[in-house]
Amino acid sequence: QVQLVESGGGSVQPGGSLRLSCAASGSIFSINFMGWYRQAPGKERELVAAITSSGTTNYADSVKGRFTISRDAAKNTGYLLMNSLKPEDTAVYYCNAVVRAATADVRQYWGQGTQVTVTS
Protein backbone atom coordinates (compact mmCIF):
# COMPACT_ATOMS: atom_id res chain seq x y z
CA GLN A 1 0.00 0.00 0.00
CA VAL A 2 1.12 3.54 -0.77
CA GLN A 3 0.14 6.80 0.85
CA LEU A 4 0.39 10.23 -0.76
CA VAL A 5 0.47 13.22 1.57
CA GLU A 6 0.15 16.70 0.14
CA SER A 7 1.20 19.89 1.85
CA GLY A 8 1.82 23.53 1.03
CA GLY A 9 -1.66 24.76 0.24
CA GLY A 10 -3.06 27.94 1.66
CA SER A 11 -4.39 31.36 0.89
CA VAL A 12 -2.45 33.86 -1.20
CA GLN A 13 -3.07 37.13 -2.97
CA PRO A 14 -3.20 37.34 -6.76
CA GLY A 15 0.30 37.36 -8.17
CA GLY A 16 1.64 35.37 -5.26
CA SER A 17 3.30 31.99 -5.15
CA LEU A 18 2.87 28.67 -3.42
CA ARG A 19 4.75 25.39 -3.56
CA LEU A 20 2.86 22.17 -3.10
CA SER A 21 4.57 18.96 -2.04
CA CYS A 22 3.44 15.36 -2.42
CA ALA A 23 5.30 12.81 -0.35
CA ALA A 24 4.80 9.17 -1.23
CA SER A 25 5.45 6.42 1.30
CA GLY A 26 4.92 2.69 1.54
CA SER A 27 5.79 -0.17 -0.77
CA ILE A 28 7.45 1.76 -3.59
CA PHE A 29 9.85 0.37 -6.16
CA SER A 30 9.44 3.26 -8.57
CA ILE A 31 7.06 6.08 -9.36
CA ASN A 32 6.27 5.94 -13.04
CA PHE A 33 4.09 9.04 -13.18
CA MET A 34 3.17 11.86 -10.85
CA GLY A 35 0.55 14.46 -11.58
CA TRP A 36 -1.26 17.33 -9.97
CA TYR A 37 -4.96 17.73 -10.55
CA ARG A 38 -7.33 20.36 -9.29
CA GLN A 39 -11.04 20.65 -8.75
CA ALA A 40 -12.87 23.90 -8.26
CA PRO A 41 -16.42 24.02 -6.86
CA GLY A 42 -18.92 22.96 -9.47
CA LYS A 43 -16.24 21.92 -11.93
CA GLU A 44 -14.71 18.65 -12.99
CA ARG A 45 -11.29 17.59 -11.81
CA GLU A 46 -8.64 18.58 -14.34
CA LEU A 47 -5.00 17.73 -14.89
CA VAL A 48 -2.76 20.68 -14.12
CA ALA A 49 0.72 19.24 -14.57
CA ALA A 50 2.40 15.87 -14.84
CA ILE A 51 5.88 14.41 -14.85
CA THR A 52 7.09 10.98 -15.85
CA SER A 53 9.93 8.93 -14.42
CA SER A 54 12.14 10.12 -17.28
CA GLY A 55 11.41 13.75 -16.44
CA THR A 56 9.04 14.54 -19.28
CA THR A 57 6.56 17.20 -18.20
CA ASN A 58 3.15 18.26 -19.41
CA TYR A 59 1.05 21.28 -18.41
CA ALA A 60 -2.46 22.50 -18.88
CA ASP A 61 -2.55 25.52 -21.18
CA SER A 62 -3.98 27.62 -18.36
CA VAL A 63 -0.86 27.21 -16.20
CA LYS A 64 1.94 27.07 -18.77
CA GLY A 65 4.68 29.50 -17.92
CA ARG A 66 3.40 29.95 -14.38
CA PHE A 67 3.54 26.48 -12.81
CA THR A 68 6.50 24.12 -12.64
CA ILE A 69 6.30 20.46 -11.71
CA SER A 70 9.34 18.62 -10.42
CA ARG A 71 10.23 15.54 -8.44
CA ASP A 72 12.92 14.22 -6.14
CA ALA A 73 13.10 10.51 -6.93
CA ALA A 74 15.35 9.78 -3.96
CA LYS A 75 12.72 11.20 -1.60
CA ASN A 76 9.69 9.89 -3.53
CA THR A 77 8.38 13.43 -3.44
CA GLY A 78 6.87 15.63 -6.09
CA TYR A 79 6.46 19.37 -6.14
CA LEU A 80 4.31 21.95 -7.88
CA LEU A 81 5.66 25.49 -7.82
CA MET A 82 2.87 27.91 -8.61
CA ASN A 83 3.79 31.47 -9.52
CA SER A 84 1.69 34.42 -10.65
CA LEU A 85 -1.37 32.89 -9.09
CA LYS A 86 -4.78 34.02 -10.26
CA PRO A 87 -8.19 33.81 -8.57
CA GLU A 88 -9.16 31.18 -11.14
CA ASP A 89 -6.43 28.92 -9.76
CA THR A 90 -8.50 28.55 -6.61
CA ALA A 91 -9.30 24.86 -6.14
CA VAL A 92 -8.51 21.74 -4.19
CA TYR A 93 -5.29 20.34 -5.58
CA TYR A 94 -4.76 16.58 -5.62
CA CYS A 95 -1.59 14.61 -6.09
CA ASN A 96 -1.80 11.49 -8.24
CA ALA A 97 0.88 8.87 -8.70
CA VAL A 98 1.29 5.64 -10.62
CA VAL A 99 3.50 3.47 -8.45
CA ARG A 100 5.25 0.19 -9.09
CA ALA A 101 5.70 -1.94 -6.01
CA ALA A 102 8.55 -4.37 -5.42
CA THR A 103 6.14 -7.12 -6.48
CA ALA A 104 5.86 -5.41 -9.90
CA ASP A 105 2.25 -4.56 -9.15
CA VAL A 106 1.40 -1.16 -10.64
CA ARG A 107 -1.37 0.95 -9.13
CA GLN A 108 -2.64 4.48 -9.13
CA TYR A 109 -2.98 6.44 -5.91
CA TRP A 110 -4.49 9.76 -4.90
CA GLY A 111 -3.67 12.14 -2.11
CA GLN A 112 -6.26 13.68 0.16
CA GLY A 113 -6.11 17.10 -1.48
CA THR A 114 -4.94 20.50 -0.34
CA GLN A 115 -6.87 23.75 -0.68
CA VAL A 116 -5.39 26.63 -2.65
CA THR A 117 -7.23 29.93 -2.42
CA VAL A 118 -6.21 33.00 -4.41
CA THR A 119 -8.01 36.10 -3.24
CA SER A 120 -7.37 39.72 -2.51
Side-chain angles (χ1 to χ4, degrees), residues 2 10-11 15 18 20 32 38 40 50 63 72 77 82 89 92 94 104 107-109 120:
V2 172
S11 183
L18 285 173
L20 307 182
N32 299 342
R38 68 186 180 188
V63 306
D72 184 332
T77 299
M82 305 183 293
D89 295 317
V92 178
Y94 297 90
R107 295 188 182 186
Q108 180 177 225
Y109 298 90
S120 54

Side-chain angles (χ1 to χ4, degrees), residues 13-37:
Q13 292 185 339
S17 299
L18 285 173
R19 190 179 81 154
L20 307 182
S21 297
C22 174
S25 62
S27 178
I28 300 170
F29 178 81
S30 64
I31 299 178
N32 299 342
F33 167 95
M34 183 171 279
W36 289 94
Y37 290 73

Side-chain angles (χ1 to χ4, degrees), residues 20-91:
L20 307 182
S21 297
C22 174
S25 62
S27 178
I28 300 170
F29 178 81
S30 64
I31 299 178
N32 299 342
F33 167 95
M34 183 171 279
W36 289 94
Y37 290 73
R38 68 186 180 188
Q39 187 166 20
K43 295 188 177 182
E44 294 186 353
R45 190 174 296 189
E46 62 174 351
L47 177 64
V48 175
I51 187 167
T52 67
S53 57
S54 63
T56 300
T57 58
N58 186 43
Y59 297 93
D61 288 342
S62 59
V63 306
K64 282 181 180 177
R66 300 188 298 123
F67 290 11
T68 303
I69 189 170
S70 61
R71 57 183 289 180
D72 184 332
K75 296 181 178 179
N76 289 327
T77 299
Y79 306 95
L80 184 68
L81 175 62
M82 305 183 293
N83 294 323
S84 303
L85 282 162
K86 304 176 181 180
E88 52 263 43
D89 295 317
T90 295

